[in-house]
Amino acid sequence: MISRRQMLAAAGSATAIWTLDRASAQNAQLRNMGGAPAGFGARSTGGRGRGAGGGRGPAFDFLGYFHGLGFGVAEGARPASNDPADVKAFRERAEQYNMRVIMDVGYPRDENGVEAFDASVKMAKDAGAISLHAAMTARRYEEFNDLASFKASFERNQKSIALAEPILRKHQMRLGLENHKGWRSAEQAAWLKRIGSEWVGVHFDFGNNISLCEDPLETFENLLPYTFACHIKDMAVEPYEDGFLLSEVPLGEGFLDIKGMVATLQKKDPNMAFDLEMIVREPLKIPVFTDKYWVTFDDRYSPLPGRDLAHTLELVHKNKPKVAVPHTDGITPEAFLKLEDECVARSIDWARKNLNL
């Protein structure tokens, strides 16, 4: 387990390393920082926001756009098609930009999907991807109306990855399962321990599990042994009548220990990829005071102790937003795009000044 004191010490060391003067830092590629498509929904849809597919339409050039931002990693970028010529051209372009790529190629839902998954993993390998990413769940407290439905979903998830693992092993390609508001971190860690494969791990999201009443450092400690890529973000919380609101905010403007977590992850892997996911949207409602929120938890199969709820509400009470959180209801596409660009720019500027990426 990583103590808070160790994390702060590591953060101090990382900050001391970052000695570039501001002018050179503004021009240097952020070798280990990237972008995650969900954080660029307005930009990738021309200001329309996060529509079908989360703004991942093939017309938007994530590789080129992230290169223009100075990133060294592009999540969600992929060739124009699976044709070998397109795959080769994509790889050459990424290498020209000196960028690494993390791809989303799905996963087999059942035995009938294994062959297609095999072809997709081979394509990603040929295109030069360093790993794959999958977000297998929706928001658990919204999706399910009873515990049995959640259990059936989790069992399907486990079957899918059991089918995927031999293909990943064959191609020597890692798949990072995002903690995507579906599993508490202890559930996910126990599952990964059962799998016991170097090819299946975690694409760690810094803030998602707050929605499941977890302290961010508890989530971090539970998933750290399995993490090989990240969605870096900062979070703000505030109360509302049915629970609390959860918002992504520009890096450095929320309450997460970004410096400490980054430094600890870099001790684990100096080449760890940190994909910015600054999602601009209405604050998410986490309705912990409603019966619906609790239907997927029970003391035996999927516990959520009362002390965790109490601690989360304490975090909400003690961490009032430092600045106004983003809101998108009723704004024009142009204003949406401007707000997203501003939040992304503030995050990049803070990362250049405070993180050794």
Side-chain angles (χ1 to χ4, degrees):
M1 298 285 281
I2 307 297
S3 71
R4 297 168 194 261
R5 180 174 295 179
Q6 288 172 317
M7 291 182 68
L8 289 171
S13 299
T15 303
I17 293 171
W18 190 242
T19 56
L20 292 174
D21 62 74
R22 182 166 184 180
S24 61
Q26 288 291 344
N27 295 323
Q29 184 186 51
L30 290 160
R31 172 66 180 150
N32 292 323
M33 189 170 184
F40 297 81
R43 171 58 54 184
S44 59
T45 60
R48 295 188 304 277
R50 300 178 68 228
R56 301 183 188 209
F60 188 77
D61 178 16
F62 282 113
L63 184 66
Y65 189 70
F66 291 155
H67 171 66
L69 290 178
F71 291 162
V73 183
E75 181 191 330
R78 60 181 300 148
S81 77
N82 288 357
D83 182 272
D86 284 337
V87 173
K88 181 175 183 289
F90 176 87
R91 180 167 188 156
E92 289 175 349
R93 187 174 175 225
E95 290 173 350
Q96 178 187 357
Y97 288 161
N98 192 30
M99 293 182 72
R100 294 174 291 158
V101 175
I102 297 171
M103 288 193 185
D104 289 74
V105 301
Y107 49 88
R109 308 287 173 148
D110 54 33
E111 289 81 357
N112 294 329
V114 170
E115 184 177 352
F117 180 69
D118 192 337
S120 293
V121 176
K122 181 181 184 303
M123 178 278 294
K125 185 79 172 182
D126 292 344
I130 60 169
S131 68
L132 306 175
H133 160 270
M136 301 183 76
T137 68
R139 298 167 198 150
R140 150 184 199 164
Y141 47 89
E142 295 176 353
E143 181 178 7
F144 303 112
N145 294 314
D146 53 66
L147 178 62
S149 298
F150 168 74
K151 290 173 68 174
S153 173
F154 195 15
E155 287 163 6
R156 286 193 299 270
N157 296 155
Q158 293 176 76
K159 180 179 179 181
S160 287
I161 300 306
L163 292 169
E165 197 280 336
I167 306 302
L168 299 166
R169 185 168 9 107
K170 179 175 80 170
H171 293 289
Q172 298 191 338
M173 176 64 69
R174 296 185 299 180
L175 171 62
L177 305 179
E178 183 181 347
N179 49 309
H180 198 250
K181 301 185 178 77
W183 318 298
R184 299 199 88 215
S185 59
E187 294 170 325
Q188 187 173 358
W191 172 27
L192 292 168
K193 185 176 181 179
R194 290 193 300 271
I195 295 171
S197 172
E198 65 180 300
W199 306 110
V200 181
V202 174
H203 196 109
F204 176 68
D205 186 286
F206 277 42
N208 278 347
N209 280 48
I210 299 168
S211 68
L212 301 178
C213 292
E214 286 190 16
D215 185 298
L217 291 185
E218 178 187 0
T219 307
F220 181 74
E221 290 168 357
N222 284 339
L223 298 182
L224 176 62
Y226 307 99
T227 295
F228 49 72
C230 300
H231 281 165
I232 187 171
K233 60 176 61 171
D234 210 343
M235 308 301 292
V237 287
E238 51 190 326
Y240 91 110
E241 60 183 2
D242 285 334
F244 63 93
L245 302 175
L246 183 65
S247 302
E248 283 88 355
V249 294
L251 297 183
E253 297 181 16
F255 77 97
L256 300 188
D257 180 14
I258 302 294
K259 293 181 184 179
M261 288 192 281
V262 168
T264 302
L265 286 161
Q266 288 180 322
K267 285 186 68 176
K268 174 183 167 72
D269 177 7
N271 296 311
M272 182 79 67
F274 295 88
D275 301 333
L276 178 65
E277 193 177 53
M278 173 59 249
I279 304 176
V280 173
R281 56 184 167 192
E282 279 299 291
L284 297 178
K285 294 178 178 179
I286 316 300
V288 296
F289 298 148
T290 67
D291 291 340
K292 172 87 159 48
Y293 181 87
W294 293 93
V295 296
T296 66
F297 299 103
D298 77 346
D299 291 341
R300 184 177 59 84
Y301 183 81
S302 183
L304 197 169
R307 65 177 177 273
D308 290 358
L309 171 63
H311 179 62
T312 300
L313 295 177
E314 181 184 19
L315 287 177
V316 173
H317 176 71
K318 289 184 175 179
N319 291 282
K320 309 256 187 236
K322 299 174 185 176
V323 296
V325 302
H327 285 269
T328 58
D329 279 357
I331 69 173
T332 65
E334 295 77 15
F336 194 160
L337 180 59
K338 182 182 181 201
L339 177 60
E340 180 178 278
D341 284 349
E342 288 175 351
C343 289
V344 167
R346 297 211 304 264
S347 294
I348 295 172
D349 187 56
W350 188 89
R352 286 192 178 277
K353 293 174 182 176
N354 293 280
L355 302 175
N356 182 25
L357 298 178

